[in-house]
Amino acid sequence: MTQPVSPPRDSTTGKVPQARPTAWRGLLARTDVRTLSLLGVLAALVLIGGITKPDEFLDTRNLQLVLTQASVIGVVTVGMTFVIVSGGIDLSVGAIVALASVWATTVATQEYGFAGILFTAVVVGVGCGLVNGVLIAYGAMVPFIATLAMLASARGLALQITDGKTQIVTVPSVLDLGERDAYVLGVPPLVLVFAVVTVIGWLVLNRTTFGRRTVAVGGNPEAARLAGIDVRRQRLYLYLLSGLCCGIAAFLLIVLSGSGQNTNGNLYELDAIAAAIIGGTLLTGGRGTITGSVLGVLIFTTITNIFALNNLQSDVQQIAKGAIIVAAVLVQRRTASTT
């Protein structure tokens, strides 16, 4: 019979050394340095806003406005993050939001009330996503070209529907969602929708087979195919998801503005891509975080709000955004080269 081996003892104390606590080590291992950096940037912006315009920036109404404005582009960004993680791109999100918003606010649609407007916005968004997905996944078109064509087509159709005019919403139940009486514990309903979409997006990307397949397709499509993943079908689903997010964002924009216009969603594609990039999503695919993308949206929205409160010109704001994007890409390249 083998004798039990006694644990090693410390040579000075003669005692068995205790295992070091690994809780903090595990926490640090799981902590995303980029997320902490983004939180630091956001905190710095809040500090700047509080110093430059303390009474206005820190006012509850202004903070609610920042979150509400972030909600619309934030929902679009969640869908965009999935697409970019898969190695694709969607330049048509802004045009889809515009088309969905004007189609959902026509006189004929408004006759069906709240449900009719919401249903139409979502269906139009999903329909456009379906066209993008079919062209890219089964038509073997480059995502840049397919979504660029959708951008032009959707904008043109939105202009044709409105004839260049603003379509005013007359459904009280839709307009009431934008009123303060509809706030839940001081939180606007639009922000709650954004929070729900964010949580669902995070769970899908990080805790489901669909999310793992998305990352696999973006990392190496051929390896994903050999592993048994239907790459074409996965890409179709991702553009459907992006279209769904655009439809939801269009409805939120209708509530926020009380109207539908063919100019809605202008440059949303650039803002969504930029937010995803500074949030840590690689343009080459294979990596991305919903949390980082949402923080990117909040950073851009806060910058816009601070510039507006300080009466700074929009061109300076765009320069600041561009500098942030360049810095984020350089950080990505440095990180990739060291891993």
Side-chain angles (χ1 to χ4, degrees):
M1 178 181 294
T2 58
Q3 297 295 325
V5 178
S6 60
R9 298 176 179 272
D10 188 277
S11 59
T12 57
T13 62
K15 298 181 179 180
V16 177
Q18 301 295 319
R20 295 181 180 179
T22 59
W24 284 105
R25 188 182 302 171
L27 178 61
L28 291 175
R30 292 191 300 269
T31 300
D32 188 349
V33 177
R34 183 184 296 275
T35 299
L36 293 178
S37 301
L38 291 174
L39 286 172
V41 172
L42 185 59
L45 289 173
V46 172
L47 181 62
I48 293 173
I51 293 175
T52 57
K53 292 288 183 178
D55 296 333
E56 299 175 33
F57 180 80
L58 297 178
D59 182 72
T60 303
R61 290 177 179 268
N62 183 63
L63 295 179
Q64 290 172 336
L65 175 62
V66 171
L67 291 176
T68 301
Q69 292 176 338
S71 299
V72 180
I73 184 62
V75 172
V76 175
T77 303
V78 170
M80 180 69 79
T81 301
F82 276 89
V83 171
I84 297 179
V85 168
S86 72
I89 199 73
D90 191 348
L91 301 179
S92 64
V93 290
I96 293 175
V97 169
L99 179 59
S101 69
V102 300
W103 206 324
T105 54
T106 59
V107 175
T109 304
Q110 292 193 51
E111 292 180 354
Y112 294 93
F114 183 99
I117 293 177
L118 175 59
F119 177 79
T120 302
V122 170
V123 168
V124 171
V126 172
C128 292
L130 176 63
V131 174
N132 281 337
V134 169
L135 290 176
I136 294 168
Y138 296 96
M141 289 189 67
V142 178
F144 182 90
I145 300 299
T147 57
L148 185 62
M150 175 58 72
L151 183 156
S153 302
R155 282 288 178 194
L157 184 55
L159 179 61
Q160 186 178 44
I161 291 175
T162 61
D163 195 23
K165 301 176 182 177
T166 300
Q167 298 177 164
I168 304 299
V169 177
T170 58
V171 180
S173 56
V174 174
L175 298 174
D176 290 344
L177 285 178
E179 300 296 331
R180 296 189 63 83
D181 294 339
Y183 288 11
V184 180
L185 300 177
V187 181
L190 274 66
V191 178
L192 294 177
V193 174
F194 176 34
V196 170
V197 172
T198 298
V199 171
I200 293 176
W202 186 91
L203 290 174
V204 171
L205 184 59
N206 296 281
R207 294 291 185 267
T208 67
T209 302
F210 182 87
R212 290 190 291 271
R213 288 175 177 173
T214 299
V215 175
V217 169
N220 191 324
E222 182 60 22
R225 185 186 66 82
L226 295 175
I229 298 175
D230 190 331
V231 176
R232 293 190 300 178
R233 184 172 61 185
Q234 185 70 18
R235 284 174 173 162
L236 173 62
Y237 288 161
L238 288 166
Y239 282 95
L240 284 173
L241 176 60
S242 179
L244 173 63
C245 289
C246 290
I248 296 173
F251 180 77
L252 297 183
L253 190 57
I254 291 171
V255 173
L256 184 62
S257 63
S259 63
Q261 305 176 55
N262 66 286
T263 56
N264 282 343
N266 188 35
L267 297 181
Y268 272 20
E269 55 277 359
L270 299 183
D271 288 342
I273 294 172
I277 290 174
I278 72 170
T281 302
L282 291 179
L283 273 175
T284 53
R287 191 182 74 188
T289 67
I290 298 296
T291 303
S293 296
V294 170
L295 289 175
V297 171
L298 293 176
I299 288 173
F300 279 145
T301 308
T302 304
I303 290 175
T304 302
N305 184 260
I306 293 175
F307 274 60
L309 292 178
N310 287 277
N311 296 319
L312 297 176
Q313 297 180 356
S314 59
D315 55 351
V316 181
Q317 172 187 326
Q318 298 301 324
I319 293 174
K321 284 186 177 181
I324 292 175
I325 295 171
V326 171
V329 173
L330 290 177
V331 169
Q332 280 189 0
R333 293 184 61 183
R334 182 177 180 83
T335 302
S337 63
T338 56
T339 55

Short mmCIF file of all heavy atoms in Angstrom, two decimals, residues 194-222:
data_model
loop_
_atom_site.label_atom_id
_atom_site.label_comp_id
_atom_site.label_asym_id
_atom_site.label_seq_id
_atom_site.Cartn_x
_atom_site.Cartn_y
_atom_site.Cartn_z
N PHE A 194 -34.19 50.58 -25.06
CA PHE A 194 -32.77 50.46 -25.38
C PHE A 194 -32.07 49.50 -24.42
O PHE A 194 -31.25 48.67 -24.84
CB PHE A 194 -32.13 51.85 -25.32
CG PHE A 194 -30.64 51.88 -25.54
CD1 PHE A 194 -30.03 50.99 -26.41
CD2 PHE A 194 -29.86 52.80 -24.87
CE1 PHE A 194 -28.66 51.03 -26.62
CE2 PHE A 194 -28.48 52.84 -25.07
CZ PHE A 194 -27.88 51.95 -25.93
N ALA A 195 -32.40 49.61 -23.14
CA ALA A 195 -31.79 48.72 -22.14
C ALA A 195 -32.15 47.27 -22.40
O ALA A 195 -31.30 46.37 -22.30
CB ALA A 195 -32.22 49.15 -20.74
N VAL A 196 -33.40 47.02 -22.75
CA VAL A 196 -33.85 45.65 -23.02
C VAL A 196 -33.13 45.09 -24.25
O VAL A 196 -32.65 43.94 -24.25
CB VAL A 196 -35.38 45.61 -23.22
CG1 VAL A 196 -35.82 44.23 -23.74
CG2 VAL A 196 -36.10 45.92 -21.91
N VAL A 197 -33.04 45.90 -25.31
CA VAL A 197 -32.35 45.46 -26.53
C VAL A 197 -30.88 45.17 -26.23
O VAL A 197 -30.30 44.19 -26.73
CB VAL A 197 -32.48 46.52 -27.63
CG1 VAL A 197 -31.59 46.18 -28.84
CG2 VAL A 197 -33.93 46.65 -28.08
N THR A 198 -30.27 46.02 -25.41
CA THR A 198 -28.86 45.83 -25.06
C THR A 198 -28.64 44.53 -24.30
O THR A 198 -27.72 43.75 -24.60
CB THR A 198 -28.36 47.02 -24.20
OG1 THR A 198 -28.46 48.23 -24.96
CG2 THR A 198 -26.91 46.81 -23.78
N VAL A 199 -29.49 44.27 -23.30
CA VAL A 199 -29.36 43.05 -22.50
C VAL A 199 -29.56 41.81 -23.37
O VAL A 199 -28.79 40.84 -23.30
CB VAL A 199 -30.36 43.06 -21.33
CG1 VAL A 199 -30.38 41.71 -20.63
CG2 VAL A 199 -30.00 44.16 -20.34
N ILE A 200 -30.59 41.85 -24.22
CA ILE A 200 -30.84 40.71 -25.10
C ILE A 200 -29.67 40.51 -26.06
O ILE A 200 -29.21 39.38 -26.29
CB ILE A 200 -32.15 40.91 -25.88
CG1 ILE A 200 -33.35 40.88 -24.92
CG2 ILE A 200 -32.31 39.83 -26.95
CD1 ILE A 200 -34.68 41.17 -25.59
N GLY A 201 -29.17 41.61 -26.62
CA GLY A 201 -28.03 41.52 -27.53
C GLY A 201 -26.81 40.94 -26.84
O GLY A 201 -26.10 40.10 -27.42
N TRP A 202 -26.55 41.35 -25.61
CA TRP A 202 -25.40 40.83 -24.87
C TRP A 202 -25.55 39.33 -24.62
O TRP A 202 -24.60 38.57 -24.80
CB TRP A 202 -25.25 41.57 -23.55
CG TRP A 202 -24.01 41.21 -22.78
CD1 TRP A 202 -22.79 41.81 -22.85
CD2 TRP A 202 -23.87 40.13 -21.85
NE1 TRP A 202 -21.89 41.18 -22.02
CE2 TRP A 202 -22.53 40.14 -21.38
CE3 TRP A 202 -24.74 39.16 -21.35
CZ2 TRP A 202 -22.04 39.23 -20.45
CZ3 TRP A 202 -24.26 38.24 -20.43
CH2 TRP A 202 -22.93 38.28 -19.99
N LEU A 203 -26.74 38.93 -24.20
CA LEU A 203 -26.98 37.51 -23.93
C LEU A 203 -26.84 36.67 -25.19
O LEU A 203 -26.24 35.59 -25.17
CB LEU A 203 -28.38 37.33 -23.33
CG LEU A 203 -28.59 37.87 -21.91
CD1 LEU A 203 -30.05 37.76 -21.51
CD2 LEU A 203 -27.70 37.13 -20.91
N VAL A 204 -27.38 37.17 -26.29
CA VAL A 204 -27.31 36.41 -27.55
C VAL A 204 -25.87 36.27 -28.02
O VAL A 204 -25.45 35.18 -28.45
CB VAL A 204 -28.17 37.09 -28.64
CG1 VAL A 204 -27.92 36.44 -30.00
CG2 VAL A 204 -29.65 37.01 -28.28
N LEU A 205 -25.10 37.35 -27.93
CA LEU A 205 -23.72 37.31 -28.43
C LEU A 205 -22.80 36.49 -27.53
O LEU A 205 -21.88 35.82 -28.02
CB LEU A 205 -23.17 38.73 -28.57
CG LEU A 205 -21.76 38.87 -29.19
CD1 LEU A 205 -21.72 38.28 -30.59
CD2 LEU A 205 -21.32 40.32 -29.21
N ASN A 206 -23.05 36.51 -26.23
CA ASN A 206 -22.11 35.90 -25.29
C ASN A 206 -22.58 34.59 -24.68
O ASN A 206 -21.76 33.87 -24.11
CB ASN A 206 -21.81 36.88 -24.15
CG ASN A 206 -21.11 38.13 -24.61
OD1 ASN A 206 -19.91 38.13 -24.83
ND2 ASN A 206 -21.87 39.20 -24.78
N ARG A 207 -23.85 34.28 -24.79
CA ARG A 207 -24.36 33.12 -24.08
C ARG A 207 -25.15 32.14 -24.95
O ARG A 207 -25.80 31.25 -24.42
CB ARG A 207 -25.25 33.58 -22.91
CG ARG A 207 -24.52 34.32 -21.81
CD ARG A 207 -23.59 33.40 -21.04
NE ARG A 207 -22.95 34.07 -19.91
CZ ARG A 207 -21.79 34.66 -19.97
NH1 ARG A 207 -21.11 34.68 -21.12
NH2 ARG A 207 -21.26 35.24 -18.91
N THR A 208 -25.12 32.31 -26.26
CA THR A 208 -25.89 31.43 -27.13
C THR A 208 -25.02 30.86 -28.25
O THR A 208 -23.96 31.40 -28.57
CB THR A 208 -27.09 32.16 -27.76
OG1 THR A 208 -26.61 33.16 -28.68
CG2 THR A 208 -27.96 32.81 -26.70
N THR A 209 -25.51 29.79 -28.83
CA THR A 209 -24.84 29.20 -29.98
C THR A 209 -24.80 30.17 -31.15
O THR A 209 -23.83 30.22 -31.91
CB THR A 209 -25.55 27.90 -30.40
OG1 THR A 209 -25.58 27.00 -29.30
CG2 THR A 209 -24.84 27.24 -31.57
N PHE A 210 -25.87 30.94 -31.31
CA PHE A 210 -25.92 31.93 -32.38
C PHE A 210 -24.77 32.91 -32.26
O PHE A 210 -24.12 33.26 -33.26
CB PHE A 210 -27.26 32.68 -32.33
CG PHE A 210 -27.44 33.68 -33.43
CD1 PHE A 210 -27.96 33.31 -34.66
CD2 PHE A 210 -27.09 35.01 -33.24
CE1 PHE A 210 -28.13 34.24 -35.68
CE2 PHE A 210 -27.24 35.95 -34.25
CZ PHE A 210 -27.77 35.55 -35.48
N GLY A 211 -24.50 33.38 -31.04
CA GLY A 211 -23.40 34.31 -30.83
C GLY A 211 -22.05 33.69 -31.14
O GLY A 211 -21.18 34.31 -31.77
N ARG A 212 -21.85 32.44 -30.71
CA ARG A 212 -20.59 31.76 -30.98
C ARG A 212 -20.40 31.54 -32.47
O ARG A 212 -19.28 31.64 -32.99
CB ARG A 212 -20.54 30.43 -30.22
CG ARG A 212 -20.41 30.59 -28.70
CD ARG A 212 -20.12 29.27 -28.03
NE ARG A 212 -21.27 28.37 -28.09
CZ ARG A 212 -22.24 28.33 -27.18
NH1 ARG A 212 -22.22 29.17 -26.15
NH2 ARG A 212 -23.25 27.48 -27.29
N ARG A 213 -21.47 31.22 -33.17
CA ARG A 213 -21.37 31.05 -34.61
C ARG A 213 -21.04 32.37 -35.30
O ARG A 213 -20.29 32.39 -36.28
CB ARG A 213 -22.67 30.48 -35.16
CG ARG A 213 -22.91 29.00 -34.80
CD ARG A 213 -24.26 28.54 -35.27
NE ARG A 213 -24.46 27.11 -34.99
CZ ARG A 213 -25.60 26.47 -35.17
NH1 ARG A 213 -26.66 27.12 -35.63
NH2 ARG A 213 -25.69 25.18 -34.90
N THR A 214 -21.60 33.46 -34.79
CA THR A 214 -21.31 34.78 -35.36
C THR A 214 -19.84 35.10 -35.25
O THR A 214 -19.20 35.55 -36.21
CB THR A 214 -22.14 35.86 -34.64
OG1 THR A 214 -23.54 35.58 -34.80
CG2 THR A 214 -21.83 37.24 -35.19
N VAL A 215 -19.26 34.86 -34.08
CA VAL A 215 -17.84 35.11 -33.87
C VAL A 215 -17.00 34.19 -34.76
O VAL A 215 -15.99 34.60 -35.34
CB VAL A 215 -17.47 34.91 -32.39
CG1 VAL A 215 -15.97 35.04 -32.19
CG2 VAL A 215 -18.20 35.92 -31.52
N ALA A 216 -17.41 32.93 -34.88
CA ALA A 216 -16.67 31.97 -35.70
C ALA A 216 -16.67 32.38 -37.16
O ALA A 216 -15.63 32.31 -37.84
CB ALA A 216 -17.27 30.58 -35.54
N VAL A 217 -17.81 32.82 -37.67
CA VAL A 217 -17.91 33.24 -39.07
C VAL A 217 -17.02 34.46 -39.32
O VAL A 217 -16.36 34.57 -40.35
CB VAL A 217 -19.37 33.54 -39.44
CG1 VAL A 217 -19.46 34.23 -40.80
CG2 VAL A 217 -20.19 32.25 -39.45
N GLY A 218 -17.01 35.38 -38.36
CA GLY A 218 -16.18 36.57 -38.51
C GLY A 218 -14.70 36.28 -38.39
O GLY A 218 -13.87 36.91 -39.05
N GLY A 219 -14.36 35.31 -37.55
CA GLY A 219 -12.95 34.98 -37.35
C GLY A 219 -12.34 34.24 -38.52
O GLY A 219 -11.25 34.57 -38.99
N ASN A 220 -13.05 33.22 -39.02
CA ASN A 220 -12.55 32.43 -40.15
C ASN A 220 -13.74 31.71 -40.79
O ASN A 220 -14.15 30.65 -40.34
CB ASN A 220 -11.51 31.41 -39.68
CG ASN A 220 -10.78 30.76 -40.83
OD1 ASN A 220 -11.34 30.50 -41.87
ND2 ASN A 220 -9.49 30.49 -40.63
N PRO A 221 -14.31 32.29 -41.85
CA PRO A 221 -15.50 31.70 -42.48
C PRO A 221 -15.27 30.26 -42.96
O PRO A 221 -16.16 29.42 -42.83
CB PRO A 221 -15.79 32.64 -43.65
CG PRO A 221 -15.12 33.92 -43.30
CD PRO A 221 -13.92 33.54 -42.50
N GLU A 222 -14.10 29.98 -43.53
CA GLU A 222 -13.83 28.65 -44.05
C GLU A 222 -13.75 27.62 -42.92
O GLU A 222 -14.29 26.52 -43.03
CB GLU A 222 -12.53 28.66 -44.84
CG GLU A 222 -12.17 27.32 -45.48
CD GLU A 222 -13.22 26.83 -46.47
OE1 GLU A 222 -14.00 27.66 -46.98
OE2 GLU A 222 -13.25 25.61 -46.74
#
